[in-house]
Each structure stands twice: as C-alpha cells, then as structure tokens.
C-alpha cells in the first residue's frame, strides 16, 4: 500500500513534467535560448579553425549581414525561415540569431544565441525575442514552434563540426 502512495504521485508529477517538455536549449544562467559548446579539433591551429568557420558561415547561411571577425573569432547575424501549423493556420516565421565562433588551437566554441522573430523593414531588423514570441501561444502549441528551430540548430551544429573537420559541407542525403 505504501508503494502505491509513492508511485501514483510520482507518475502524476512525471506526466506533468513531460507535458511541459521543451526542445530548445536554455542557458541556465540567463534563461535565454542558446546552443553553445566547446568542440575538439585535434591537430588544427586557431587560425585554420577560424578560416574554416568563416567559410562555413558563408556557405551554410545566406548572408544578410557581413561576418565580423577578429584574431580568434567570427560572428554573423543569420536567418532561418520556417512554417509551423497552429490548429488550422500555417504561420510563416523568420528567425534571426547570432552565430559566434571562438577558436583556440585544437578546439573551438560555438554559440548560437540572441534568437528573435521578425522582418527586415527598409534595411532595419524589426524583431521580438523568441521566448516572448513563443509564450504568446497556448502551451500545447509552443512545442510546434520549437521543433523546427531545434531541428535546424542541431543540423547546423552537425554541419559546422563536419566542415571544421573536413573543410567541406556534409554531402546531402538522397531524398527518396
């Protein structure tokens, strides 16, 4: 009988927690959406990693802003367009975010952050914070916004790792 008293509340707690699941990575200190990690690049100098990171940014994303660079880092504003479905309506979203890549010998740190939703109006970005955008919708639909973003960021991070290691974009899989 005691086991049942413990198990039932535990199941209820876990079902609530799973129902509130979140896909997009959240920075534990700031509470903002962020994908960052230090990755290894054995046998590569900082300048070689920086050159490859800059080349990856140019090849992977459509350039909307020039790449900013210093001796050991590159940074660029990027965009990702996607659609998501809210009940019966399809919503077009232009997501803007910064990619910042710092380099050292044998490693680099990528940081995808400052996510916001908006449009360019007369050369000026008019946008709101992604977190504020997502919170405008009922909680059961928020994951529908998060899924394409998480999928794209995961794909971009994988592509960056492949490019740093091989100096070329990943070959695309055949679409049957």
């Amino acid at each position: 009988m005691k086991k049942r008293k413990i198990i039932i509340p535990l199941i209820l707690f876990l079902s609530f927690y799973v129902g509130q699941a979140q896909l997009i990575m959240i920075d534990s200190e700031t509470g903002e959406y962020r994908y960052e990690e230090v990755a290894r690049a054995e046998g590569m100098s900082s300048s070689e990693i920086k050159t490859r990171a800059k080349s990856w940014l140019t090849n992977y994303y459509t350039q909307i802003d020039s790449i900013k660079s210093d001796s050991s880092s590159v940074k660029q504003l990027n965009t990702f367009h996607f659609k998501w479905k809210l009940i019966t309506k399809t919503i077009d979203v232009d997501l803007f975010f910064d990619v910042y890549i710092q380099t050292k010998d044998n490693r680099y740190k990528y940081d995808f952050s400052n996510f916001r939703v908006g449009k360019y109006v007369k050369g000026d970005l008019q946008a709101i914070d992604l977190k504020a955008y997502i919170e405008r919708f009922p909680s059961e639909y928020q994951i529908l916004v998060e899924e394409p973003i998480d999928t794209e960021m995961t794909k971009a991070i994988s592509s960056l790792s492949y490019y740093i290691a091989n100096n070329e974009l990943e070959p695309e899989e055949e679409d049957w």
Side-chain angles (χ1 to χ4, degrees):
M1 187 67 176
K2 275 189 169 183
K3 285 184 181 181
R4 185 176 284 174
K5 285 182 180 181
I6 294 172
I7 291 176
I8 291 174
L10 183 61
I11 290 172
L12 290 173
F13 174 75
L14 289 175
S15 66
F16 174 77
Y17 183 75
V18 170
Q20 299 296 318
Q22 183 137 7
L23 289 176
I24 301 175
M25 305 298 267
I26 296 180
D27 186 310
S28 60
E29 293 176 16
T30 65
E32 295 183 17
Y33 296 127
R34 169 172 265 148
Y35 291 79
E36 74 177 328
E37 184 179 10
V38 174
R40 303 291 304 163
E42 295 299 329
M44 295 180 71
S45 69
S46 174
S47 63
E48 185 178 5
I49 296 169
K50 181 185 154 210
T51 300
R52 290 184 182 191
K54 192 173 184 179
S55 179
W56 176 79
L57 281 169
T58 303
N59 289 309
Y60 192 80
Y61 289 109
T62 304
Q63 194 165 354
I64 57 170
D65 194 15
S66 62
I67 296 175
K68 293 167 184 64
S69 146
D70 63 24
S71 63
S72 64
S73 68
V74 291
K75 182 177 182 177
Q76 182 178 17
L77 172 65
N78 295 293
T79 186
F80 166 60
H81 179 83
F82 66 96
K83 296 178 184 201
W84 69 281
K85 191 169 184 168
L86 176 64
I87 307 170
T88 59
K89 183 178 181 181
T90 301
I91 300 174
D92 285 318
V93 177
D94 288 319
L95 180 71
F96 294 88
F97 56 96
D98 296 323
V99 176
Y100 181 52
I101 303 167
Q102 297 172 291
T103 65
K104 291 187 176 185
D105 290 343
N106 300 312
R107 65 185 184 271
Y108 61 96
K109 179 181 179 181
Y110 61 78
D111 184 3
F112 291 69
S113 61
N114 197 15
F115 291 91
R116 51 217 184 272
V117 175
K119 298 275 184 212
Y120 260 102
V121 179
K122 296 182 181 178
D124 189 32
L125 178 59
Q126 304 289 319
I128 65 169
D129 182 69
L130 177 62
K131 192 170 190 168
Y133 176 80
I134 288 175
E135 289 174 350
R136 296 176 4 187
F137 300 100
S139 59
E140 63 266 20
Y141 297 107
Q142 291 176 3
I143 199 160
L144 298 175
V145 181
E146 295 173 358
E147 283 177 328
I149 296 169
D150 185 65
T151 300
E152 174 58 28
M153 293 306 112
T154 303
K155 180 180 159 192
I157 291 165
S158 173
S159 176
L160 172 62
S161 297
Y162 186 88
Y163 201 96
I164 296 292
N166 301 295
N167 203 22
E168 64 182 14
L169 289 175
E170 283 181 290
E172 298 217 7
E173 293 180 19
E174 290 184 32
D175 187 18
W176 291 78

